Amino acid sequence: MQTITAIQLKSQLDADEVHLLDVRTADELELVSIAGALHIPLHELPARHGELPRDKPLAVLCHHGVRSETAARFLDKAGFTDPLSVAGGIEAYALDVDPTLPRY
């Protein structure tokens, strides 16, 4: 499991090098999201990780980076290649990449 910054995530998304997995709750997702992200709340990940694509690394996003790190560690143990945790989560993405995104 590796950690990447929000700026690195943006670069990798633009280059189509990763899939983005958002592990926040549905309520959080309604507040703000990144287009194209897959959504599986962290508490559902153990039962649903088989739904995730394996053709590229997964970058995992939450609100501040704690849940995404937990999810990336789980995915690593589940056999996913090089899962990435986005440091600072969607909060960092809003601050460093897209200031038009709502913050909460």
Side-chain angles (χ1 to χ4, degrees):
M1 195 257 347
Q2 298 178 31
T3 301
I4 61 170
T5 67
I7 293 170
Q8 289 170 316
L9 171 63
K10 173 69 168 140
S11 176
Q12 290 185 14
L13 288 171
D14 288 347
D16 198 28
E17 295 174 345
V18 296
H19 292 291
L20 180 58
L21 171 63
D22 192 325
V23 296
R24 295 175 302 136
T25 65
D27 289 342
E28 289 175 291
L29 200 68
E30 286 182 24
L31 296 172
V32 59
S33 63
I34 297 174
L38 307 166
H39 179 242
I40 299 178
L42 179 61
H43 71 277
E44 295 179 15
L45 193 57
R48 296 183 55 199
H49 70 276
E51 300 172 22
L52 295 169
R54 291 180 176 258
D55 60 320
K56 311 182 236 201
L58 286 165
V60 187
L61 180 81
C62 66
H63 188 196
H64 289 290
V66 176
R67 287 175 285 175
S68 63
E69 188 171 315
T70 299
R73 289 185 193 284
F74 170 82
L75 292 169
D76 188 47
K77 289 179 182 177
F80 284 80
T81 305
D82 299 325
L84 307 164
S85 175
V86 180
I90 199 157
E91 178 76 8
Y93 196 88
L95 290 170
D96 299 339
V97 176
D98 186 353
T100 66
L101 291 178
R103 295 174 53 212
Y104 63 100

